[in-house]
Amino acid sequence: GWYGTELQADWKIGAWGRLLVGAEGQHHKIYLKNFDEAPALDYVNREERFQIYSAYLEEEVRLRENLIATGGARRDIYKHYILEGDQTTPRASLVYQPENGRVIKLLYGQAFRVPNSYELFFCGTGYNFICNPNLRPETNNNYELSYDQVLRSYLKGSLAIFRYHVKDLISLTGVGNGQRMFENVNHVRGTGIETGLQGQSASGATSYLHYTYQITQDRETEEDFFNSPRRLAGAGWIVPLFERNASLGVEGQYVGSRKTVKPGERIKAY
């Protein structure tokens, strides 16, 4: 479980800008236990507590009536965690609206992920997993250019081109003698395009359709990365009920074929 608090201040700077400043604190408690009853054997039995302290800043500037630039950064500090340290993640955007119903966005963002409890602690007695206290956080740099347009009063479309780079991706690797260990071994890059349509009727019913094509590769081998399908698609319909106090929806998804961690094996599309 966890609990936390957050403070945030938002200032409007004249008619051209806005400044957002905030701070956040979280306390986490993790209890991990995995065992056999007969014969009695504890695989994992440990308790971990740690804190996360964060501060962030974001500024929005209206360069022209139809052009807005935004920039900011966030700093997260981990205390009393097996991976004590800090991460700073910037972000920026440029939004241009040449006319009503059309929006062009240029986006950049960085994110990170610390190793989770499974990757850090499920190892040792009874397992063929070796603990790795030297795991580092994954980092991800994302770039995106998108275009949105209202096609009809009830229909709008979108098109986006994106690229991302993942560094120090955590993967499960074999280390010999049938044992495995989580390591920072992969640098991955992905490039793709996403398009979609969304419509809304006068009654409030919403329907949507989207399709994504992406190529995700290991930067060292330039081979397709595992568990990364090239094609994804989805469609759905949502209708409001009881004077829009509730809703009913249905959704379908398509996932293209993809490699698995086993050499030469692929999962079929579904």
Side-chain angles (χ1 to χ4, degrees):
W2 70 277
Y3 59 85
T5 186
E6 182 176 7
L7 298 174
Q8 189 178 94
D10 191 348
W11 292 280
K12 185 177 181 181
I13 305 175
W16 55 269
R18 172 176 165 266
L19 180 64
L20 177 68
V21 178
E24 182 179 2
Q26 297 179 6
H27 177 84
H28 292 255
K29 179 180 178 181
I30 300 174
Y31 183 56
L32 300 173
K33 187 173 180 66
N34 193 354
F35 62 94
D36 284 341
E37 291 184 344
L41 176 63
D42 277 344
Y43 295 107
V44 178
N45 187 4
R46 65 186 299 163
E47 182 179 310
E48 298 290 334
R49 300 170 185 262
F50 64 93
Q51 294 79 42
I52 307 173
Y53 303 103
S54 308
Y56 53 89
L57 171 71
E58 182 177 275
E59 184 173 9
E60 178 184 290
V61 179
R62 185 175 292 275
L63 303 176
R64 295 174 55 183
E65 186 64 28
N66 58 359
L67 182 63
I68 298 175
T70 303
R74 178 185 177 101
R75 188 172 183 84
D76 295 280
I77 301 174
Y78 283 74
K79 291 291 186 181
H80 305 115
Y81 194 52
I82 193 172
L83 296 172
E84 284 202 16
D86 57 82
Q87 291 283 336
T88 300
T89 49
R91 64 182 60 187
S93 68
L94 193 63
V95 180
Y96 176 52
Q97 188 172 358
E99 59 186 42
N100 288 337
R102 296 171 61 196
V103 180
I104 300 172
K105 299 178 183 179
L106 181 62
L107 309 172
Y108 166 75
Q110 188 181 97
F112 73 97
R113 184 185 76 84
V114 299
N116 58 39
S117 302
Y118 174 73
E119 293 161 341
L120 285 171
F121 305 128
F122 276 78
C123 51
T125 304
Y127 285 101
N128 60 346
F129 286 65
I130 299 176
C131 296
N132 183 2
N134 297 316
L135 278 177
R136 300 182 302 275
E138 300 174 349
T139 57
N140 189 347
N141 288 279
N142 298 276
Y143 310 84
E144 181 176 328
L145 175 64
S146 69
Y147 176 72
D148 300 320
Q149 180 167 350
V150 175
L151 304 174
R152 297 287 188 274
S153 60
Y154 55 87
L155 182 67
K156 66 178 181 180
S158 62
L159 177 67
I161 301 171
F162 60 86
R163 186 175 180 86
Y164 57 85
H165 299 269
V166 183
K167 182 181 178 182
D168 291 330
L169 187 68
I170 299 172
S171 298
L172 186 62
T173 62
V175 294
N177 297 323
Q179 294 184 314
R180 296 184 176 186
M181 180 170 64
F182 285 103
E183 295 184 284
N184 299 98
V185 295
N186 295 107
H187 289 194
V188 177
R189 65 184 174 197
T191 304
I193 184 170
E194 182 176 11
T195 184
L197 290 171
Q198 180 174 334
Q200 186 170 28
S201 67
S203 64
T206 302
S207 57
Y208 57 89
L209 173 68
H210 61 84
Y211 173 79
T212 302
Y213 180 82
Q214 63 179 359
I215 299 175
T216 306
Q217 295 179 321
D218 187 302
R219 294 180 64 181
E220 294 181 0
T221 65
E222 295 189 352
E223 295 182 356
D224 284 358
F225 200 63
F226 58 84
N227 290 329
S228 300
R230 289 198 171 192
R231 295 173 177 82
L232 297 168
W237 177 70
I238 302 172
V239 58
L241 303 173
F242 308 115
E243 298 182 351
R244 304 197 180 191
N245 292 315
S247 62
L248 176 67
V250 60
E251 182 180 60
Q253 295 185 353
Y254 169 82
V255 179
S257 66
R258 62 190 188 274
K259 288 175 59 177
T260 70
V261 293
K262 186 176 180 180
E265 183 180 72
R266 295 189 67 89
I267 296 176
K268 294 182 179 181
Y270 59 89

